[in-house]
Amino acid sequence: MTPFRPQSHLPTHEVTNQPEPLTDYNLFDSDLAFAETVKRWGCADTVRRVRAYGAALGRDEILAAGDLANRETPELVAFDRFGRRLDEVRFHPSYHRLMSLGMEHGQHSIAWTAEAHGHLSHCALEYLMHQVEAGVCCPLSMTYAGLPALKANPALYETWAPKLLSRSYDPACRPVADKVGATMGMAMTEKQGGSDVRANATRATHVKGETYELVGHKWFCSAPMSDAFLTLAYTDAGLTCFFVPRWTEARERNRLFIQRLKDKLGNKANASSEIEYHGAEAIRVGAEGRGIQTIIQMVHHTRVDTTVGAASLMRAALVQALHFTAQRSAFQKRLIDQPLMQAVLADLALETEAAMLLAFRIAQAFDAAEAGNAQEKAFSRIGVAIAKYWLNKRVVGVVHEAMEAHGGSGFVEDGPMARLYREAPLNGIWEGAGNVICLDVLRALDKDAEAKDALVEQLKAACGHDRRLDAQVDRVIALASNRAGLEANARRLVEETALVLQADLMMRHAPAAMADAFLASRLDEENWGHAFGTLPPGLDLRAIVERAQPVL
């Protein structure tokens, strides 16, 4: 026994039948299905980058930093000791370490700098970091997503893009001209409207050129220590998109005041805030009255990250459950070999692989859209909404079952499961909660002919390979055809459509045992119960569990 190991021989008992910690492993190489997907849809450079990130994130010190960044939460520093406004947020060094690592590997920028497969690469890096610490993914994601919206003001884009694409993390609060790198946040919603941003009350007064002054509040401003924010405010022409830097052109602190930090259920390492604009200097992005159409570019790209985040949390939870049950015994047999536990783990493995495949199919569509594929661009618009809704409805149950597999030790804060469980609902709420997303899908089907046609093509491509999948496509068409009750049935329509996409992907890319199990359970209500672990008989559960096991 080395001196670094904890004591197992205690005065009253010996500690036995407890797993070794899961540390020092490559998050990419240990995840067989994910590695296959990146290799299939990416290129050698993508694989190299993602593997290197997986190795860096799996180190003991980085895993510990993820935990510590959530225990030592951000602190608002509104004033200096003499009463002058600062409006800064103080983070634990672990948070800065993770931000630095993320930017060093290009999680925020690779989509726009890679020669090919940029969005796939970005989503793969996001998928790995989200398993270690989800909070830093928020500013990294918004920086990634803000760049296409910023192009609506070419001069602003030319000035800011080099700093936003920089791989150097610079947390200092100072004018962007003095920094080696920058990050971007977003402030859209207000108390009275929430997702209904047309109910916003913030007003913009024209000063000169493209410069305005903003007066109003924002109920949610994520990552308030970002160097700039995209926001919405009304002019006489209507709701307009604005760029609000933390420092003015005169190199003074902008009149953006942080009122308080949100005390959130999870995502503790990331600061979310309420802010007020007291004549804050802002630069118009896009035409007046076209604010939603401008900022939707940012929302569209953050939605793919909230989709990937759900799949990532499923994998993180499943890995912990597999690792624990493989080393814990009960009734003279390892938990992982107990038939009932094996059924639960196999069911979670099916859900997790199908989620990962769907998330990265959407990432693939984003890359194809960037390359000029009109049909894939149209599919990405509706596909990301379908995937975001469905995966985020599934992730909470997956994390709960993985926690339960640990017994009582999963419910305490010493381990990672409590943090994963608090994190699980988040991505389903951010960037449009469930009903908002379903209404977006209906709107696309009704008003976006290209998106509707692209989705129909995906459904057609799934037909003719399995009778169960064909029947599922028929159910989707029947639901979509019931125009009278379509809004009330929107969730069912989106759910059934997501299952078609997942089942088709599983048939194409997963081993036969997994594809058959997914179709037999998810597409046949008589064969599957209401909780995980109720798979139909006759499936190769051991093969499914073995495929999901982390390769250490």
Side-chain angles (χ1 to χ4, degrees):
M1 179 181 294
T2 70
F4 304 107
R5 292 178 61 84
Q7 289 285 344
S8 295
H9 302 283
L10 306 181
T12 58
H13 66 285
E14 183 175 355
V15 180
T16 62
N17 196 25
Q18 294 288 350
E20 292 296 319
L22 180 59
T23 57
D24 277 331
Y25 70 107
N26 188 312
L27 274 69
F28 174 79
D29 288 329
S30 65
D31 188 344
L32 181 60
F34 172 61
E36 287 177 357
T37 300
V38 174
K39 292 172 184 176
R40 179 191 310 116
W41 288 334
C43 60
D45 189 55
T46 305
V47 173
R48 178 186 62 79
R49 291 176 185 276
V50 180
R51 174 175 281 126
Y53 203 39
L57 288 169
R59 299 199 309 268
D60 273 359
E61 61 173 296
I62 299 302
L63 295 172
D67 178 68
L68 194 55
N70 280 271
R71 295 181 185 276
E72 302 292 338
T73 55
E75 175 190 359
L76 173 61
V77 184
F79 300 90
D80 72 4
R81 68 191 185 99
F82 299 108
R84 293 174 292 226
R85 297 282 320 210
L86 288 175
D87 294 282
E88 297 181 10
V89 181
R90 183 178 296 142
F91 294 90
H92 189 271
S94 293
Y95 174 90
H96 293 304
R97 178 71 185 93
L98 292 164
M99 281 292 294
S100 180
L101 184 65
M103 295 188 75
E104 174 189 331
H105 283 263
Q107 183 175 326
H108 66 302
S109 61
I110 190 68
W112 315 116
T113 59
E115 293 185 5
H117 311 292
H119 290 285
L120 181 77
S121 299
H122 162 77
C123 289
L125 300 179
E126 168 91 12
Y127 181 83
L128 296 178
M129 174 62 92
H130 215 95
Q131 295 179 49
V132 175
E133 205 300 286
V136 297
C137 291
C138 179
L140 295 174
S141 175
M142 289 190 295
T143 303
Y144 148 74
L147 281 155
L150 207 57
K151 289 182 178 179
N153 185 321
L156 198 60
Y157 180 85
E158 184 178 351
T159 300
W160 278 80
K163 300 296 175 76
L164 295 169
L165 292 170
S166 170
R167 292 197 176 188
S168 297
Y169 174 56
D170 187 345
C173 185
R174 56 191 174 197
V176 71
D178 300 340
K179 300 187 66 167
V180 294
T183 59
M184 191 188 302
M186 178 167 56
M188 288 178 63
T189 61
E190 299 181 7
K191 296 185 182 85
Q192 69 280 0
S195 295
D196 182 9
V197 293
R198 294 189 186 277
N200 284 7
T202 299
R203 297 292 304 182
T205 302
H206 184 247
V207 177
K208 63 178 180 177
E210 295 174 334
T211 303
Y212 293 69
E213 287 186 352
L214 304 186
V215 175
H217 82 281
K218 293 296 172 181
W219 187 229
F220 267 93
C221 173
S222 291
M225 274 306 291
S226 299
D227 295 283
F229 307 88
L230 284 182
T231 194
L232 294 173
Y234 271 102
T235 68
D236 291 341
L239 201 58
T240 302
C241 182
F242 292 95
F243 180 86
V244 183
R246 285 189 64 85
W247 292 79
T248 70
E249 288 186 2
R251 298 176 64 85
E252 296 176 347
R253 291 176 186 265
N254 208 350
R255 296 183 64 79
L256 180 156
F257 299 138
I258 302 174
Q259 301 304 299
R260 63 170 175 168
L261 300 185
K262 299 285 193 180
D263 186 7
K264 298 171 295 187
L265 170 67
N267 205 248
K268 296 287 191 178
N270 174 41
S272 298
S273 65
E274 297 169 28
I275 64 170
E276 288 186 356
Y277 301 128
H278 293 189
E281 183 177 293
I283 304 166
R284 178 168 51 81
V285 181
E288 284 196 24
R290 301 283 295 174
I292 294 177
Q293 293 81 354
T294 302
I295 208 168
I296 200 67
Q297 283 291 321
M298 187 175 194
V299 174
H300 180 60
H301 287 84
T302 51
R303 279 185 178 174
V304 75
D305 282 8
T306 58
T307 302
V308 170
S312 173
L313 287 174
M314 290 187 203
R315 176 61 187 175
L318 176 61
V319 164
Q320 294 296 331
L322 290 167
H323 182 73
F324 181 87
T325 57
Q327 297 184 66
R328 177 82 166 176
S329 297
F331 310 110
Q332 292 77 52
K333 185 185 288 188
R334 291 191 310 164
L335 289 179
I336 202 169
D337 295 324
Q338 306 273 2
L340 193 52
M341 180 62 78
Q342 196 169 82
V344 172
L345 295 172
D347 215 351
L348 298 181
L350 292 174
E351 195 71 35
T352 299
E353 182 156 347
M356 183 274 298
L357 286 172
L358 181 56
F360 282 90
R361 171 65 184 94
I362 302 303
Q364 185 191 39
F366 272 62
D367 274 326
E370 201 73 25
N373 187 317
Q375 182 169 322
E376 285 292 274
K377 183 177 183 178
F379 173 68
S380 75
R381 291 198 296 270
I382 193 169
V384 72
I386 292 168
K388 178 198 183 309
Y389 171 82
W390 181 235
L391 300 195
N392 282 292
K393 291 303 176 193
R394 305 299 292 163
V395 63
V396 177
V398 169
V399 177
H400 167 257
E401 288 289 356
M403 175 188 286
E404 191 172 306
H406 290 74
S409 65
F411 199 67
V412 297
E413 295 287 352
D414 292 347
M417 293 310 304
R419 174 156 59 98
L420 292 176
Y421 190 67
R422 289 195 304 273
E423 191 72 31
L426 176 68
N427 288 304
I429 296 171
W430 282 7
E431 308 310 332
N435 285 354
V436 172
I437 297 297
C438 289
L439 291 173
D440 280 354
V441 172
L442 293 189
R443 192 175 299 111
L445 291 174
D446 188 46
K447 297 183 178 180
D448 189 337
E450 292 178 344
K452 180 180 179 180
D453 291 345
L455 180 61
V456 169
E457 287 301 313
Q458 292 291 313
L459 298 177
K460 287 181 179 178
C463 292
H465 306 290
D466 186 279
R467 60 171 180 78
R468 296 164 296 188
L469 189 48
D470 292 348
Q472 179 71 12
V473 173
D474 290 341
R475 283 195 289 272
V476 170
I477 293 172
L479 280 167
S481 300
N482 181 15
R483 307 295 297 179
L486 197 53
E487 183 171 327
N489 286 321
R491 285 188 172 219
R492 184 64 180 266
L493 173 62
V494 175
E495 173 181 321
E496 299 283 5
T497 306
L499 286 171
V500 169
L501 299 175
Q502 286 185 306
D504 184 42
L505 289 165
M506 291 290 280
M507 287 188 64
R508 293 175 187 273
H509 305 302
M514 296 197 74
D516 183 60
F518 188 88
L519 270 68
S521 55
R522 274 63 175 173
L523 302 190
D524 189 343
E525 293 181 356
E526 295 182 0
N527 273 340
W528 198 34
H530 299 287
F532 288 107
T534 56
L535 292 168
L539 302 176
D540 192 348
L541 302 184
R542 183 173 295 278
I544 295 170
V545 171
E546 288 178 353
R547 174 172 170 79
Q549 277 277 25
V551 181
L552 304 177

